[in-house]
Amino acid sequence: MSAAPNPKLERDRRIDLFRGIALVMIFINHMPATPWSLLTSRAWGFSDAAEVFVLLAGLAAALAYHRYFANGATGIGFATVFSRMWKLYRTHLFLFLMVGTICVIGAERFNEPSHLEALGFDTFLQNPGAFLAHVVTLRFLPGYLDILPLYVLLLALVPALFLLHRLHWIAPLALSLALWGAVQGIGFNIPNSRTAREWTFNPFAWQLLFTIGFVIGLRMRSGLGLGLLGRPLVARGITIAAALFTVAAFLISAPWREIPGYENVWLVDPLRIGAISKTDLSIIRLIDVLAKFWLVMVLIQPDARWLSSVPARMTALMGKHSLEVFALGTIGSIAGGIVIVVNGYHPAIIAAAVLTGTALMIGMGAFMEWRSGATASSRKPKVEAAPGSAPALPPTPERRAEPVSSRSTLLALDPRV
């Protein structure tokens, strides 16, 4: 599973597709939307969409910033990374304002304070002057608004990861694994004054998943493949192990427990496998997301015809413009959740909230794609022939490079995501 490096890699539609699916899952999981939540990965495994996003964020960072740090343009690379961090930070503050406003309206206008309390805005409103400094320094993170701050810190690691990778490709993984192990053994995190405890996503632990994605992205971008893991016999064994683990995770998670009357039906007692910490990214969650990632990349062909279908392309547009779609989905999930609670969890209201929110997210993805195309077209210089000059010769057709099979390489992702 190796390939020669090719600067003109085609976009891997599978990546955007599953990003889009993950965005919809996050939207549903942030609402009291049972039984719709049975359709999300959280119900039938140990990991959820958060792990998918962090893994792909590391991979996307390697592909997006490689052209700067690998070609001597380190200063531009630093500036580009910082620009992205600044955009994520601004989006987080915007979401804090919007979600907080929606929660206050729900409490005052509709007598529905549960979201205000569950997300921690009631704590903020008790002493906003004292907590405001905590908000801008990311030491006060309301519920559901803790993933973008994690991305900000993880992106700050990108220059160091490139430097370590120059020494040896195993160097960033080794240091990252050591830090993750220290978290598991000692236990340390960034404080969160909302709960008087800590960040929901411990960046000292979740950096391992980001680094794994980063190293995979760099090796594929450089045409190095997966080395030993890419050998047919080894790859086949990993595929079988990943499939067995995924099935076992489904049986242990027992998603049918969400169905009334089956709440206590277990095939395997989950207490036997110990605590599964999301905050500190326990080993079982890490294996779960990597197993699913492997199965997706091996079993779904990059040139599968259904990837070109309208539903697949519309879903992929959500993944391509994930930041904007995530922001809209976060606002929609809080507003939809309040509507669901106010209307007594009526199934029709739940369905309407889920379907309306999903349609709006799809629309946002399509709008952002149109906007990107329109902006790109407007930036193209228009060259007019001078009066009396000879007509321009038609451009010489360029020979198209042979596409690299994405069975052996992960193709380029959007640099902005």
Side-chain angles (χ1 to χ4, degrees), residues 179-416:
L179 180 57
W180 175 85
V183 171
Q184 308 306 313
I186 303 174
F188 49 91
N189 197 346
I190 299 177
N192 181 5
S193 55
R194 175 181 75 88
T195 59
R197 296 181 63 186
E198 56 195 11
W199 277 27
T200 301
F201 298 98
N202 186 342
F204 302 110
W206 282 72
Q207 52 78 31
L208 175 59
L209 190 56
F210 182 86
T211 303
I212 291 173
F214 179 88
V215 172
I216 291 175
L218 274 190
R219 288 185 65 80
M220 297 304 179
R221 177 64 181 79
S222 303
L224 299 176
L226 295 178
L228 177 63
L229 300 183
R231 295 182 180 178
L233 206 58
V234 177
R236 191 175 301 114
I238 295 176
T239 302
I240 294 173
L244 292 175
F245 184 93
T246 302
V247 171
F250 175 85
L251 296 177
I252 295 173
S253 301
W256 54 81
R257 292 183 300 108
E258 299 289 340
I259 303 174
Y262 292 87
E263 294 87 352
N264 297 318
V265 178
W266 300 87
L267 295 181
V268 179
D269 186 355
L271 295 178
R272 293 184 178 180
I273 61 176
I276 305 177
S277 172
K278 181 173 184 176
T279 294
D280 293 332
L281 187 62
S282 64
I283 184 64
I284 197 168
R285 293 184 70 101
L286 180 63
I287 294 175
D288 188 68
V289 68
L290 292 178
K292 291 174 180 175
F293 176 77
W294 180 276
L295 291 175
V296 166
M297 299 307 294
V298 169
L299 300 180
I300 298 181
Q301 300 298 314
D303 55 353
R305 294 184 61 183
W306 64 270
L307 290 174
S308 299
S309 65
V310 173
R313 285 190 286 112
M314 297 303 290
T315 304
L317 288 180
M318 288 193 289
K320 183 178 180 180
H321 304 283
S322 58
L323 180 59
E324 294 81 4
V325 175
F326 170 79
L328 178 62
T330 299
I331 295 172
S333 65
I334 304 304
I338 292 174
V339 171
I340 290 172
V341 174
V342 169
N343 288 275
Y345 302 91
H346 193 283
I349 299 297
I350 295 176
V354 170
L355 296 176
T356 300
T358 302
L360 290 174
M361 292 166 67
I362 293 173
M364 174 62 81
F367 170 77
M368 292 304 300
E369 181 68 6
W370 170 83
R371 181 175 177 269
S372 297
T375 303
S377 298
S378 65
R379 290 176 178 173
K380 292 181 179 180
K382 296 181 179 180
V383 180
E384 296 182 0
S389 60
L393 295 175
T396 303
E398 297 182 358
R399 182 179 178 181
R400 297 182 60 184
E402 291 295 326
V404 177
S405 171
S406 56
R407 297 188 64 177
S408 59
T409 184
L410 296 179
L411 304 181
L413 304 181
D414 196 323
R416 301 168 302 158

